[in-house]
Amino acid sequence: MANLRLHSLNDVKLVGRLTRDPELRYTPQGTPVCHFRIAVSRSYKDRNSNEWKEEVAFVPCSTWRETAERCGQRLKKGSPVFIEGRLQSRDWTTKEGQKRFDLEVNILKIQFLEMAGEGGSSASEAVAEDPGAEASATPVGAGASSANSKVAQYNDDEVPF
């Protein structure tokens, strides 16, 4: 068993809405980083009461470089997004000496689910963090087939919020 090789998988895909305006900051070296939280939910039927209930999770997210600047410009509280990324943990010690731990999604791709300056639009735009990843800025229904696209296309009727 010592030679057993396990593959690892760290892949996160979420659709949600921002819980507040994103925070765009710059590292001392000038690299942009954007932090925000998204709310993701699921509906389920309670076994005891037979009523539908909703469970909400608030997920911290971060993105870097050009994607961070684009998120800082385009997103606001309530903006719907589709994100793809990986889980990343951080730990630090506060000024008071307390150990802290955080788990967040490091975004590799983000898709804005509404056009800039318009609420409720059915168009979307995708932004890729890594240069090797494909990104699409094609609005839904503008000639790009969702079957041929690397980034899923959504309209407001398909978003579960």
Side-chain angles (χ1 to χ4, degrees), residues 9-21:
L9 176 64
N10 186 352
D11 189 31
V12 176
K13 297 178 183 185
L14 299 170
V15 173
R17 292 184 180 269
L18 272 70
T19 61
R20 66 173 78 148
D21 291 341

Side-chain angles (χ1 to χ4, degrees), residues 63 66-68 70-71 74 82 107-112 125-130 134-137 151:
T63 188
E66 293 83 13
T67 305
R70 176 86 50 97
C71 288
R74 292 277 309 274
F82 171 66
I107 297 172
L108 301 174
K109 293 181 186 178
I110 184 167
Q111 186 168 0
F112 305 137
E125 177 181 343
V127 180
E129 177 67 31
D130 59 326
E134 290 189 28
S136 165
V151 179

Side-chain angles (χ1 to χ4, degrees), residues 6-139:
L6 297 175
H7 295 281
S8 68
L9 176 64
N10 186 352
D11 189 31
V12 176
K13 297 178 183 185
L14 299 170
V15 173
R17 292 184 180 269
L18 272 70
T19 61
R20 66 173 78 148
D21 291 341
E23 294 178 25
L24 178 62
R25 298 185 201 173
Y26 293 86
T27 65
Q29 296 79 21
T31 305
V33 60
C34 187
H35 295 282
F36 54 87
R37 287 185 185 267
I38 63 171
V40 296
S41 63
R42 76 174 187 101
S43 296
Y44 65 96
K45 198 169 202 173
D46 185 277
R47 291 182 186 179
N48 299 329
S49 66
N50 211 24
E51 293 179 4
W52 283 97
K53 297 194 175 190
E54 186 173 32
E55 179 181 81
V56 180
F58 301 98
V59 183
C61 305
S62 65
T63 188
W64 296 81
R65 295 177 282 289
E66 293 83 13
T67 305
E69 290 182 326
R70 176 86 50 97
C71 288
Q73 294 166 356
R74 292 277 309 274
L75 298 176
K76 63 184 182 309
K77 179 179 178 178
S79 295
V81 292
F82 171 66
I83 63 168
E84 295 182 61
R86 59 185 171 81
L87 288 176
Q88 182 174 334
S89 62
R90 302 184 291 134
D91 56 66
W92 69 95
T93 305
T94 65
K95 294 177 183 177
E96 295 80 28
Q98 296 175 330
K99 294 269 187 185
R100 299 286 187 192
F101 173 83
D102 197 12
L103 186 65
E104 67 182 8
V105 176
N106 186 340
I107 297 172
L108 301 174
K109 293 181 186 178
I110 184 167
Q111 186 168 0
F112 305 137
L113 298 179
E114 65 185 8
M115 290 181 63
E118 294 184 22
S121 172
S122 64
S124 63
E125 177 181 343
V127 180
E129 177 67 31
D130 59 326
E134 290 189 28
S136 165
T138 306

